[in-house]
Every structure is written in structure tokens, then in C-alpha cells.
Amino acid sequence: MYTASAAFVEALVDAGVSYIFGNFGSDHPGLLEYLAKAKALGLPAPPVLTCPNEMVGLSAAHGYAQVTGRAQAVVVHVECGTQALAGAVHNAAKGRIPVLIYAGASPYTQEGELLGSRNEFIQWIQDVADQRGLVRGYMKYDNEIRTGRNVKQLVRRAMQFAHSDPPGPVYLMGGREAMEEEIPPVQLPSPRSETVSPGALSAEGLDILVADLLAARRPLVVTSYVGRRPAAVAELERLCQRLGMGVLESVPNYMNFPHDHPLYLGNQWNLAQQNQALAQADLVLVLDSDVPWIPQVNRPDPTAVIHHIDVDPLKTAMPLWYIEAKGVFRADAATALAQINARLDQMTIDQAALVERRAHYGDLHAQRAARLEVEARPSPDGITPHYLAARLALQLGSDGLVLNEGITNYNVLFDHLARTQPGSIFTSGGGSLGWNGGAAIGMKLAAPDKDVVAISGDGSYLFSVPASVHWMARRYRTPFVQIVLNNGGWRAPRHSALGVHPDGYASATEDLDISFDPAPDYAGVAAAAGGAHARIVKTVEELDEAIAEALRVTREEGRCAVLDVWLARS
């Protein structure tokens, strides 16, 4: 028999899917049967990675796509598995991550009319009115497989949506009867184009942008995720160097500009103060950014000229969003920056003004570097996240991969890890915690020869479902270093409460019901579930050796290492 399930798996192979991150259920007999057949007969099929938790599976696909740019397949069980994807769906959507999610559905016959008809009680309970509606608000595309005769076309269309700008998750579902359908073998012609071509600046828009850039005295770039494409980083560096334009990262998701470059001015998160460079800029180029500034506390000068280039300038998934921009351009950043640089090749740049701008921003860069050097010194009170990040940076090397889910320490980790290579540091791009563990597995699959280090708060570590993460890491040989920033509980809710009620009751109490006391054995969980090297680190004196041993264990022994680092309490 050649079935719809066979066609579906073949479609995944044709789409370049390397892995199926699977959490199977009673709705997948056709799929399981074909995967077993493919294994027995040597037929092409992506290997299956068993994911005991759906959120971990989707986070792993998320991490793999961040390194490779390629969507993987995540298979879950009816509406229960769809819901169990939980916040990972939010992260994939907000982070613009291509991924194909496939869920089965309860059978739609009950008398044995078709192969796959209902034969278990659960299939009545799990039949819901609008399964696709559970995630429709987060998907770029969703559809139902009703027959195997066009399943390959549906997969191809879904993957085209997933990979075309702005990329994102897509969702397919299919009932058992549809996936068991016997059909003639399906062969599709090779697609002329796998994705929609990246957008470019119009000739008129390019003229306006270049004229304003050349006229500016204090031009500044604000970006968050231009680094998702390394080619864009190279073009941005070229543009900034030739114009003497500073770069400020706002809530960065990637390494967007080398941190050691004299035009790099740092990264801004929730800090409740005005950024000096942003206030002084007379032209701000917002480039691939969801939150370029927080207007209550930090904004450009009202007279500054603002231009916005973005893969998603309308922010269609955000009901409230606007900046006062003179020009708004839907364009791929690498393409747009290359256009601007090509035009500037033909222009004359005022060299005296260029020297002055470079000196001005170079001075701000040097002031920041001096401040960070002071922050990274060891503290008599214990280990600070600043010191930890600086010491890790010395041992990791420039090509290691860092997953930053430090929450209230996001900015500290970006500052003191000071990455210089595109594709060397990542956040989820979303706001649902627990991405880091599964994503580390996906990144190690994508880059097996690189060190992978996941850094999370203690709350984010618990959200990551560490028992599932470290079991998977052991089974699929994806060792990584996990560093838990143990500050005794959820710090972010306290910051949020004090931000709104600085002098209220919350400011006067230590107990806001957000502490983790007694503390879980964070490292012990990973050791029990995945045989990980586990260590608690409490003093400055032992930190360097603990980091070195953790890296050695992952490199030489091929198993995870978890460092439960007790931070100085503030």
C-alpha cells in the first residue's frame, strides 16, 4: 500500500526536513506504520527524535531553525498535544521561526466505515470543534489534510509560507482515515521557487534614505534581529564603518553587530533611563526591531528623522504598535543594506564629518567598555552574573553557541559575553520561558562540532522541563553546558511590581510568594534524567575550574554538564 502517510513523509524529505520531533498518540497509526516500513526497507524518511514533552520538541525544532534557517517537523497528538506545545508556539511565532507542526485528529467515522475508524474511547473525548483554532492566531498558515491525493501540495504550500519573509510556524492536521487512505504514488515537479523572493527597497525609497543618511550629523542604527541572517551583519558593518554610524541594540535576539567594534554602543532592555546615543541622534534607522525603544522612559529626540526597514514593518500580530517614521519599508535587511551600500559606492562622503562621527561614537564605546570592565570584577559578596559571563567568555571561544534566557540578566549576558561572530548568541525571540533546554538540543543537532551553552534563570530552567530535556540529550547525543543562574526564585515579577508600585507594599516585603525555598536540586534533576555532570557552584574561587570541567565533560565525555551557580543575593 502507498498511503497518505507515505506521501506526507516523502513530502517532508522533499522539503529538506532533517528531523521529526515526535510525540505520538492514538491518532498516528498510519504515520507510525509508514515510518516503520521506511526503516525496515531503507526508504527515505527523516529520523524521529522522541520528545516526552511537546514544548521541548518544538523548542528543539526552534533552535535547529535558528542555526540553519530550515524548518523541521514537529508531530503531536490531537488537540491535547497541540495545547501541550504551550508557550513554544508563542516563541516560534514571535521569534519568526520556520517550523511545520503536524497534529493528528480524532477519527471522523465510528462504525468501521474506513480504515482508521474509532476504536478507542479517547477518540470521542478528544474530538473538538476547532482544533486548528487553538493555534491559528500564531500560525502563518493552517490547514487540514482531507485526502492523501494532495498532501504533498499542502506540505509544499505550508513550507513556502514557513520560509518566506517574515518566516514563522505553520500547522497541518489530519484525521486517521485521511492519513490511512490508499492513493496512487504522488510525484510533484521540482518547485520553481521554494520561497517568495526577499523584498527590496524601491528606487524612490532608496533615494530618500541615502539622501537623509548623508545629511545626518549623528546617524544611529537601532536593531534587534538583523543578525538572524549573517549576510545582513556584514552589510550593516560595512554601512556603519563608511558613514561613522553608531549601532544600538534594543532587546536583541541575535548577535547583530560585533561587540568589539568601536561603533557598537551596547544593548537596551527594560532599563528605566534615557539612552544617551538615542537622545542625541538626528537620524535613527530602525532595522528589524519589534521594540526599538520604550517611549515612557526612552525615545529619540522629537526632531530626529526616523526611517524603518523591517521584514515585518506593520507588526501585523501586534494590535498596538507604532513609531513616528518618515519612511517605512518592507524589505529584507541584507538586501536593503546591500542596495544602500551600492548607492554609496557612487557618492562622495564628507571625510571631516566622518572622522568626527567615528571619534564621537568611539568615545561612547570606550566609556561603555570601561564601565563593563568595572562590573566584571569579582565581588566580595559572591558570584555576580557579570563576573560569570565574563569568565565564561574567556573559555568559550568566539564560535561557541550561547542561548540566553537570563530574563533579568538578559542585558548582562549580552554585555559581558561580548559576542563578535554572527550566529553565536540567541534568545527565543518571544516571551514564554523554558525555550533554552530544548533549543540547546536543536542547536547541537545543527552544529555538532560546536560548544553549546544554555544560560537560564532558575525559573526558566524549571519551565524548560529539564527531565525531558536531559533524557533527550543523553539519548540523541547532544551534550551541552547548562548554567542555572540561581538567585532563589522569580526576580522578574519583583522588578515589574516595583516598576509600577515603587513605594507600595510590595517594596516593603521580602515575601512576594515568588521564591524557590527550599531550593530544588537543579543539577540533580539533569543527573537523574540524563546522566549529566552535576555541580553546585557557590564561590568565586571555584567558578573558573567549574566552567572548564563542564566544557571538558561535554567535549570529551559527550554528556551534558549542569552548573547550579548561586548568585550573590541583592
Side-chain angles (χ1 to χ4, degrees):
M1 289 178 61
Y2 182 87
T3 65
S5 292
F8 177 75
V9 173
E10 287 181 357
L12 297 182
V13 173
D14 292 343
V17 169
S18 300
Y19 295 100
I20 295 172
F21 296 91
N23 189 294
F24 296 105
S26 60
D27 45 332
H28 297 127
L31 192 54
L32 290 170
E33 172 65 16
Y34 182 75
L35 289 169
K37 176 181 178 180
K39 188 181 295 185
L41 302 181
L43 302 175
V48 175
L49 275 67
T50 299
C51 303
N53 179 275
E54 291 89 343
M55 180 169 171
V56 176
L58 180 49
S59 296
H62 184 140
Y64 191 96
Q66 284 182 293
V67 172
T68 66
R70 299 299 307 172
Q72 302 305 295
V74 177
V75 175
V76 297
H77 176 49
V78 294
E79 106 287 6
C80 295
T82 300
Q83 293 181 98
L85 291 167
V89 168
H90 160 95
N91 289 337
K94 302 304 179 182
R96 300 177 182 85
I97 301 301
V99 61
L100 171 65
I101 301 168
Y102 168 76
S106 283
Y108 43 79
T109 61
Q110 70 176 36
E111 303 285 354
E113 299 95 325
L114 295 170
L115 184 61
S117 188
R118 294 184 184 188
N119 61 353
E120 301 176 36
F121 79 89
I122 201 70
Q123 289 153 356
W124 279 265
I125 297 171
Q126 292 175 337
D127 190 5
V128 297
D130 186 10
Q131 182 174 310
R132 289 156 56 191
L134 295 171
V135 293
R136 185 172 294 122
Y138 298 90
M139 297 297 124
K140 284 195 68 185
Y141 171 84
D142 69 274
N143 208 339
E144 180 178 356
I145 297 171
R146 297 180 175 89
T147 173
R149 293 173 183 269
N150 69 348
V151 68
K152 286 192 173 182
Q153 290 90 335
L154 293 185
V155 169
R156 177 176 289 184
R157 177 165 169 77
M159 292 297 263
Q160 188 173 38
F161 271 100
H163 284 126
S164 295
D165 282 340
V170 294
Y171 184 84
L172 293 174
M173 59 174 278
R176 291 208 315 186
E177 295 93 334
M179 299 305 288
E180 294 281 359
E181 180 188 2
E182 185 175 4
I183 59 173
V186 177
Q187 294 294 331
L188 297 184
S190 297
R192 293 183 179 179
S193 176
E194 185 183 54
T195 62
V196 175
S197 296
L201 298 172
S202 67
E204 180 184 6
L206 181 60
D207 289 342
I208 294 170
L209 268 170
V210 170
D212 285 349
L213 285 168
L214 290 174
R217 178 172 176 271
R218 285 284 177 267
L220 180 73
V221 169
V222 177
T223 186
S224 301
Y225 57 89
V226 71
R228 71 193 178 95
R229 291 188 177 165
V233 178
E235 290 289 350
L236 178 59
E237 188 173 356
R238 182 181 172 212
L239 174 64
C240 292
Q241 184 66 23
R242 75 192 311 170
L243 291 181
M245 184 159 53
V247 177
L248 174 66
E249 293 180 295
S250 180
V251 195
N253 306 135
Y254 297 86
M255 200 298 297
N256 298 300
F257 199 79
H259 284 216
D260 60 354
H261 197 290
L263 293 172
Y264 179 72
L265 305 177
N267 57 93
Q268 185 98 354
W269 293 75
N270 288 334
L271 186 64
Q273 69 181 42
Q274 176 66 53
N275 183 276
Q276 178 185 357
L278 184 63
Q280 294 175 347
D282 60 351
L283 180 142
V284 181
L285 176 58
V286 178
L287 187 63
D288 278 353
S289 180
D290 288 334
V291 187
W293 47 79
I294 298 176
Q296 277 202 58
V297 296
N298 178 44
R299 61 171 66 216
D301 185 278
T303 64
V305 174
I306 299 172
H307 286 292
H308 182 200
I309 302 173
D310 205 300
V311 70
D312 178 24
L314 288 176
K315 309 299 177 186
T316 53
M318 299 181 187
L320 176 62
W321 195 94
Y322 56 87
I323 58 175
E324 302 299 331
K326 173 182 177 181
V328 179
F329 308 94
R330 183 188 296 276
D332 167 64
T335 302
L337 290 169
Q339 288 179 275
I340 296 171
N341 279 319
R343 178 63 63 84
L344 289 173
D345 286 340
Q346 308 165 22
M347 312 292 285
T348 300
I349 296 172
D350 185 329
Q351 291 302 301
L354 173 61
V355 170
E356 191 277 334
R357 284 194 297 271
R358 286 178 178 171
H360 170 78
Y361 284 128
D363 184 55
L364 292 182
H365 176 85
Q367 292 176 33
R368 174 178 177 272
R371 184 175 68 253
L372 295 185
E373 192 277 329
V374 173
E375 290 179 357
R377 293 172 184 170
S379 168
D381 297 327
I383 301 171
T384 65
H386 314 71
Y387 181 76
L388 185 155
R391 303 312 295 178
L392 174 62
L394 291 175
Q395 297 195 43
L396 181 59
S398 61
D399 65 342
L401 306 184
V402 179
L403 296 86
N404 180 354
E405 202 166 22
I407 314 308
T408 54
N409 288 305
Y410 272 135
N411 63 314
V412 172
L413 296 175
F414 268 99
D415 280 342
H416 292 280
L417 287 166
R419 309 304 283 165
T420 60
Q421 298 297 317
S424 63
I425 190 168
F426 307 84
T427 74
S428 72
S432 185
L433 306 187
W435 153 86
N436 72 96
I441 293 172
M443 290 190 187
K444 189 65 176 180
L445 285 169
D449 296 330
K450 292 191 176 184
D451 292 319
V452 176
V453 180
I455 310 176
S456 71
D458 42 11
S460 299
Y461 177 75
L462 291 176
F463 279 130
S464 74
V465 198
S468 286
V469 165
H470 287 280
W471 177 85
M472 287 180 63
R474 176 167 60 177
R475 175 165 178 171
Y476 298 111
R477 298 180 178 85
T478 54
F480 65 94
V481 175
Q482 174 84 59
I483 297 177
V484 181
L485 304 177
N486 186 340
N487 57 19
W490 288 319
R491 190 179 175 202
R494 180 180 292 276
H495 281 210
S496 297
L498 298 185
V500 178
H501 302 288
D503 302 312
Y505 288 98
S507 69
T509 182
E510 288 296 316
D511 186 10
L512 287 179
D513 300 308
I514 55 176
S515 70
F516 298 157
D517 185 23
D521 184 357
Y522 299 112
V525 170
H533 166 79
R535 180 167 179 175
I536 296 174
V537 184
K538 294 186 178 181
T539 66
V540 168
E541 291 74 20
E542 61 184 319
L543 183 60
D544 281 352
E545 187 274 328
I547 293 172
E549 178 64 7
L551 289 168
R552 186 200 68 78
V553 166
T554 59
R555 293 166 180 168
E556 298 179 11
E557 299 181 18
R559 60 192 180 109
C560 286
V562 180
L563 301 182
D564 176 1
V565 181
W566 289 34
L567 299 182
R569 301 296 193 260
S570 60

